[in-house]
């Protein structure tokens, strides 16, 4: 029989051994009892956490940082010498860069070739990708103000949630009185009744909300959902504060169970239900005729009172909308007047109500994954006469309905743009619940459509450059106007990147919507090269530098052939393309607290470069939009055509037009200064529901009234048409 060999666990120095199940003690290399040179355990590198394969290799005797330069007496000393030399070499060697030229981002695919990063804390950090994403590439000007607002709202919500996760201090908790409890006991009717009263009479305190457990937070949210968000009632300011605070204290979606997320969704569904209900009675006169719906006991569970048209997992949003609107119009039983019910003399709903519902839908949709609810949020629109922040102003529908019922011709004139008139009219008609025709809506660039009129033989089939707008949205508007050969700066820079050398970062964005050019850019062959016959600035340009360079090249070219330079004396004397601007506004109100540069700012920048390049030569151009005469002449012609369709061919000449507006600098000034070729008299009426809010206007109107309904009545009486 083979004799099993006995393991010798006794160390060579005669010290105490250890058995097979025991482990040697962990040695702290920061202490003096570290195993010395030639010991049995290697040192652990504090930066990498790796243990040396050679015990004693990092021990340098008395001096911990002493470097060993040899000569080496044995293999271990040789390794120590190599290690010492390595300590004098930087962790990362970076070759000096000879140029500031941008490095191709493709180097990140292989991890080689980039010397612009840095080494810190044992990790190499590369420079951020120079090619921005589609989201970060947009400036605040290119994005809708509503999107910027929602981003800001979510940022504030995340900050609130982070703050409420910090445990309150003992003094803060001790300072809470009996009216600010932090816990709602389960199955406690007395506690439920008490909290329902406190939600109506007290405001939440940070320490109170921070000390609440998740069960209490969810119970209170259910209570607010069922008993405090009622149709045909404004949301109280205190209720808004409680909703904001409790949503801030709620855990993230990943930390909640299915039932808990369902309760949050019910809150979002209730907000959607109320928003859809508001769209049914948008004007003051319709509101006064609708009774409040009785929704049952305030302490009912959310599932018993919330609309079931938006159940979890619903994918057909349009069908849900239809069913929900049907319920709103078909089964709203009357109820008695009670606390919180809308009084006929009040304007309902309040801005605070709309803001609260928007906040709830945004947080529930974005932070808790219920994104199917987001499309029910109201869409903003800015006007000062019919709408303000997507909310129809008092008597807006009544005014338009009055004009339509009495066959009084009218059109809607705005300096906005960037979308086709059909889209704008559809949005406005839906909000006001008034049928509107596309021909009644005139934007700042609407007059450009006349230049594509085939009967006039102008620019319909010519090659035109359209500048401005998001992507190629303005190209699509121009094509719907009738222009058949439209190019954009994106098309040109994609085909010829050398035209402007500073667009490398934006080329992927341009390529996403660029189209092939109708002709190559070949100055050596002018007869076959790309030729631009007109330049249109439809909307705010997004890349001022590229657009200015391109327009300047064309204005200095020979006959609009890109890449050529005119040899004729003077400027704009060699068949260069005409330049058309829309919307002359220098400033506009954005999400930022200060006004931002608008299309007028781009025009001033281009003309400044033109002045420098031509030593002060005047730039010939056409500017349309209020208050310019061309816009009012187009509006008068459009109004006359509408008048003939409405009243018949024997309607006679148009004698007087009443311009109702809220901006003295554009609306009132334009009407006061315009003198039409047909002798039509223009009278301005200033309303105090938009830009102008009292004081002395810069341009004196024919009349100053409160709102659009007063303006309509004033104009009807002044014209002698009828008695309003």
């Amino acid at each position: 029989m083979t004799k099993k060999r006995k393991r010798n666990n006794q160390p060579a120095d005669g010290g105490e051994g250890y058995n097979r199940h025991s482990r040697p003690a962990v040695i702290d290399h920061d202490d003096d009892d570290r195993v010395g040179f030639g010991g049995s355990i290697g040192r652990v590198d504090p930066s990498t956490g790796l243990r040396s394969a050679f015990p004693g290799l990092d021990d340098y005797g008395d001096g911990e940082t002493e470097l060993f330069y040899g000569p080496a007496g044995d293999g271990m000393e040789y390794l120590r010498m190599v290690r010492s030399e390595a300590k004098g070499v930087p962790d990362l060697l970076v070759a000096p860069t000879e140029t500031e030229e941008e490095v191709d981002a493709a180097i990140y695919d292989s991890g080689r070739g980039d010397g612009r990063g840095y080494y810190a804390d044992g990790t190499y950090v590369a420079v951020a990708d120079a090619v921005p994403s589609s989201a970060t590439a947009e400036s605040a000007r290119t994005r809708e103000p509503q999107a910027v607002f929602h981003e800001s709202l979510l940022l504030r919500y995340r900050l609130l949630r982070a703050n409420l996760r910090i445990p309150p201090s003992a003094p803060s908790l001790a300072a809470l009185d009996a009216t600010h409890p932090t816990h709602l006991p389960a199955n406690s009717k007395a506690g439920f009744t008490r909290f329902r009263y406190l939600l109506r009479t007290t405001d939440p305190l940070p320490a109170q909300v921070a000390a609440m457990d998740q069960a209490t937070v969810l119970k209170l949210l259910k209570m607010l959902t069922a008993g405090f968000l009622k149709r045909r009632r404004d949301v109280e300011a205190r209720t808004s504060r409680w909703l904001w605070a409790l949503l801030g204290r709620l855990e993230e979606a990943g930390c909640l169970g299915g039932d808990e997320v369902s309760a949050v969704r019910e809150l979002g569904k209730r907000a959607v239900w109320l928003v859809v209900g508001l769209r049914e009675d948008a004007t003051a006169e319709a509101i006064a005729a609708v009774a409040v719906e009785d929704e049952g006991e305030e302490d009912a569970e959310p599932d018993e009172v919330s609309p079931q048209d938006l159940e979890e997992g619903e994918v057909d949003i349009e069908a849900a909308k239809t069913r929900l609107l049907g319920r709103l119009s078909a089964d709203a039983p009357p109820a008695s007047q009670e606390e919180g019910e809308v009084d006929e003399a009040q304007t309902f709903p309040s801005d605070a109500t709309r803001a609260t519902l928007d906040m709830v839908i945004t947080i529930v949709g974005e932070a808790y994954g219920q994104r199917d609810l987001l499309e029910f949020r109201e869409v903003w629109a800015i006007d000062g006469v019919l709408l303000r922040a997507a909310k129809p102003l008092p008597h807006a529908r009544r005014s338009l309905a009055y004009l339509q019922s009495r066959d009084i011709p009218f059109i809607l004139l705005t300096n906005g743009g960037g979308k086709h008139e059909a889209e704008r009219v559809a949005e406005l008609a839906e909000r006001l619940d008034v049928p509107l025709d596309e021909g009644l809506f005139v934007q700042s660039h609407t007059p450009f459509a006349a230049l594509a009129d085939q009967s006039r033989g102008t620019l319909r089939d010519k090659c035109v450059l359209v500048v401005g707008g998001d992507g190629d949205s303005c190209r699509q508007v121009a094509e719907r106007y009738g222009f058949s050969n439209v190019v954009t700066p994106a098309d040109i820079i994609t085909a010829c990147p050398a035209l402007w050398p500073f667009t490398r970062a934006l080329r992927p964005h341009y390529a996403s919507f660029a189209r092939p050019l109708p002709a190559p850019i070949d100055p050596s062959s002018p007869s076959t090269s790309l030729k631009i016959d007109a330049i249109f600035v439809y909307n705010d340009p997004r890349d001022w530098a590229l657009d200015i360079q391109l327009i300047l090249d064309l204005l200095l070219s020979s006959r609009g052939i890109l890449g050529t330079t005119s040899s004729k004396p003077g400027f704009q004397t060699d068949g260069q393309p005409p330049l058309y601007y829309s919307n002359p506004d220098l400033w506009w109100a954005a999400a930022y607290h200060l006004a931002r540069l608008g299309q007028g700012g781009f025009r001033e920048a281009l003309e400044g470069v033109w002045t420098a390049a031509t030593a002060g030569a005047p730039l010939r151009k056409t500017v349309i939009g209020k208050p310019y005469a061309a816009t009012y002449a187009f509006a008068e012609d459009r109004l006359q055509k509408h008048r003939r369709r409405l009243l018949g061919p024997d309607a006679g000449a148009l004698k007087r037009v009443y311009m109702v507006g809220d901006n003295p600098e554009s609306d009132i000034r334009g009407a006061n200064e315009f003198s039409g070729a047909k002798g039509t008299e223009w009278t301005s009426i200033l309303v105090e529901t938009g830009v102008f809010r009292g004081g002395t206007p810069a341009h004196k109107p024919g009349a100053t009234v409160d709102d659009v309904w007063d303006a309509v009545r004033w104009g009807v009486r002044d014209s002698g048409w009828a008695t309003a």
Side-chain angles (χ1 to χ4, degrees):
M1 176 180 288
T2 303
K3 187 174 182 180
K4 188 173 182 180
R5 189 173 182 177
K6 184 176 181 180
R7 176 176 295 184
N8 182 13
N9 291 330
Q10 191 74 15
D13 58 3
E16 182 179 357
Y18 56 89
N19 59 39
R20 61 186 292 185
H21 299 293
S22 64
R23 299 286 184 183
V26 176
I27 298 176
D28 186 355
H29 295 290
D30 294 330
D31 297 334
D32 293 333
D33 61 350
R34 182 182 62 238
V35 174
F37 182 83
S40 60
I41 300 177
R43 183 178 182 177
V44 176
D45 189 317
S47 63
T48 64
L50 300 178
R51 187 182 300 279
S52 173
F54 297 94
L57 181 61
D58 297 302
D59 299 321
Y60 307 108
D62 297 334
E64 281 292 319
T65 60
E66 178 185 354
L67 299 180
F68 180 75
Y69 296 101
D74 55 23
M76 187 63 71
E77 288 189 350
Y78 174 77
L79 292 176
R80 287 185 61 198
M81 183 178 67
V82 174
R83 180 68 61 85
S84 297
E85 292 178 359
K87 286 184 176 295
V89 180
D91 292 331
L92 180 68
L93 293 176
V94 180
T97 56
E98 299 179 357
T99 176
E100 294 297 326
E101 182 178 359
E102 185 178 352
V103 180
D104 189 352
I107 60 177
Y108 295 127
D109 297 335
S110 63
R112 297 189 298 272
D114 185 19
R116 302 170 300 158
Y118 60 92
Y119 191 79
D121 195 21
T123 304
Y124 176 74
V125 181
V127 169
D129 195 338
V131 181
S133 66
S134 59
T136 58
E138 289 183 318
S139 66
R141 180 63 185 97
T142 67
R143 295 154 58 208
E144 293 292 338
Q146 187 173 11
V148 176
F149 166 76
H150 284 143
E151 287 184 9
S152 176
L153 173 66
L154 290 171
L155 175 61
R156 291 180 58 197
Y157 170 69
R158 295 186 186 101
L159 291 174
L160 172 69
R161 187 161 61 184
N163 289 333
L164 292 179
R165 285 187 175 183
I166 302 174
S169 63
S172 299
L173 291 175
L176 296 176
D177 56 23
T179 62
H180 292 88
T182 61
H183 179 65
L184 175 57
N187 302 321
S188 174
K189 186 173 182 180
F192 186 93
T193 303
R194 181 187 181 206
F195 253 110
R196 186 172 60 184
Y197 171 77
L198 294 176
L199 289 177
R200 294 188 183 279
T201 57
T202 63
D203 287 329
L205 296 180
Q208 175 193 16
V209 178
M212 289 182 178
D213 57 80
Q214 290 301 294
T216 297
V217 172
L218 286 166
K219 291 173 186 175
L220 295 181
L221 283 176
K222 290 180 180 180
M223 193 183 303
L224 290 171
T225 302
F228 289 71
L229 300 180
K230 297 297 188 78
R231 192 186 301 164
R232 300 294 310 118
R233 301 185 198 176
D234 270 324
V235 178
E236 299 293 335
R238 178 167 286 124
T239 301
S240 300
R241 290 190 283 270
W242 273 107
L243 286 169
W244 174 250
L246 293 172
L247 286 171
R249 182 62 186 91
L250 199 61
E251 293 289 348
E252 297 179 2
C255 300
L256 301 180
D259 292 341
E260 295 167 330
V261 173
S262 178
V264 178
R265 178 175 173 82
E266 288 298 329
L267 173 62
K269 287 164 56 180
R270 173 55 61 98
V272 165
W273 191 39
L274 299 182
V275 167
V276 175
L278 297 181
R279 297 173 186 171
E280 286 295 282
D281 11 69
T283 57
E285 55 269 26
I287 290 169
V290 179
V292 178
E293 179 183 15
D294 185 0
E295 294 178 334
E297 295 297 325
E298 292 184 347
D299 56 350
E301 288 300 313
D303 289 339
E304 298 175 358
V305 295
S306 295
Q308 300 303 316
D309 304 270
L310 296 171
E311 285 299 328
E312 190 85 36
E314 179 70 55
V315 294
D316 191 349
I317 296 297
E318 293 303 323
K321 288 181 181 178
T322 302
R323 293 195 301 271
L324 190 53
L325 290 173
R327 284 190 55 185
L328 289 170
S329 59
D331 49 74
S336 59
Q337 185 85 7
E338 56 180 281
E339 182 181 359
E341 184 176 351
V342 178
D343 182 47
E344 295 185 2
Q346 299 174 345
T347 299
F348 173 83
S350 67
D351 291 338
T353 295
R354 292 181 179 272
T356 299
L357 298 178
D358 184 82
M359 176 268 291
V360 169
I361 297 174
T362 299
I363 292 177
V364 173
E366 296 284 3
Y368 292 92
Q370 312 303 310
R371 300 188 61 85
D372 59 316
L373 305 181
L374 295 177
E375 72 169 88
F376 289 90
R377 293 180 299 191
E378 287 190 290
V379 180
W380 290 7
I382 304 299
D383 192 86
V385 179
L386 301 177
L387 302 175
R388 186 170 67 243
K391 176 183 177 181
L393 289 169
H395 309 300
R397 179 184 182 278
R398 180 182 186 183
S399 301
L400 297 185
Y402 176 87
L403 295 174
Q404 290 177 336
S405 66
R406 285 160 176 75
D407 290 336
I408 301 177
F410 69 91
I411 62 172
L412 305 174
L413 183 63
T414 176
N415 260 358
K419 293 183 180 180
H420 192 266
E421 287 72 16
E423 298 178 51
R424 298 289 190 189
V425 166
E427 294 173 359
L428 186 62
E430 179 183 0
R431 294 192 184 109
L432 295 178
D433 193 24
V434 174
L436 295 172
D437 183 78
E438 178 184 326
L440 303 180
F441 203 83
V442 178
Q443 300 183 99
S444 61
H445 51 63
T446 304
F448 290 162
L451 298 177
D453 190 341
Q454 191 171 17
S455 63
R456 302 184 182 185
T458 51
L459 297 171
R460 181 182 182 86
D461 299 319
K462 301 292 185 180
C463 184
V464 300
L465 175 69
V466 169
V467 177
D470 289 325
D472 66 344
S473 59
C474 288
R475 186 217 306 266
Q476 297 176 27
V477 173
E479 290 175 340
R480 293 181 69 174
Y481 284 170
F483 293 96
S484 61
N485 193 1
V486 182
V487 299
T488 67
D491 303 339
I492 295 174
I493 196 63
T494 300
C496 183
L499 185 143
W500 182 245
F502 306 114
T503 59
R504 183 190 299 268
L506 294 177
R507 287 176 196 169
H509 170 65
Y510 291 140
S512 67
F513 59 87
R515 297 182 188 174
L517 292 175
I521 300 176
D522 185 7
S524 63
S525 178
S527 62
T528 60
S529 185
L530 179 66
K531 180 179 183 295
I532 301 297
D533 297 296
I535 305 169
F536 293 93
V537 182
Y538 266 62
N539 197 241
D540 297 84
R542 275 41 173 174
D543 189 344
W544 285 25
L546 170 62
D547 295 347
I548 288 176
Q549 180 69 76
L550 181 55
I551 294 174
L552 186 66
D553 286 347
L554 291 171
L555 294 177
L556 297 175
S557 69
S558 173
R559 295 176 291 125
I561 300 173
L562 193 61
T564 64
T565 303
S566 175
S567 59
K568 290 187 176 183
F571 298 97
Q572 295 179 283
T573 60
D574 191 13
Q576 289 88 357
L579 174 61
Y580 298 92
Y581 288 109
S582 73
N583 191 353
D585 293 344
L586 179 64
W587 303 102
W588 74 293
Y592 193 61
H593 65 282
L594 300 178
R596 302 292 84 191
L597 290 172
Q599 284 180 248
F602 174 80
R603 189 184 82 245
E604 294 294 338
L606 172 59
E607 294 184 10
V609 173
W610 170 265
T611 298
T614 62
L619 175 63
R620 292 196 295 274
K621 76 277 186 184
T622 299
V623 183
I624 62 172
K626 299 180 292 185
Y628 284 84
T631 294
Y632 286 83
F634 181 88
E636 182 178 298
D637 181 68
R638 179 68 65 88
L639 183 60
Q640 177 69 351
K641 291 179 180 179
H642 175 56
R643 184 170 178 267
R644 288 172 181 168
R645 288 196 303 268
L646 194 63
L647 304 179
D650 300 328
L654 181 62
K655 297 181 180 180
R656 180 175 294 182
V657 175
Y658 293 89
M659 173 67 188
V660 181
D662 69 303
N663 192 331
E665 291 292 340
S666 60
D667 304 322
I668 306 307
R669 176 188 173 189
N672 290 351
E673 296 178 354
F674 178 65
S675 179
K678 299 179 181 180
T680 302
E681 177 185 352
W682 282 67
T683 300
S684 59
I685 305 176
L686 180 63
V687 296
E688 298 184 352
T689 52
V691 174
F692 180 73
R693 292 299 185 90
T696 303
H699 299 273
K700 185 178 180 180
T704 301
V705 296
D706 291 337
D707 57 27
V708 63
W709 175 239
D710 289 338
V712 167
R713 292 191 297 173
W714 190 92
V716 169
R717 286 195 299 266
D718 185 68
S719 67
W721 185 287
T723 301

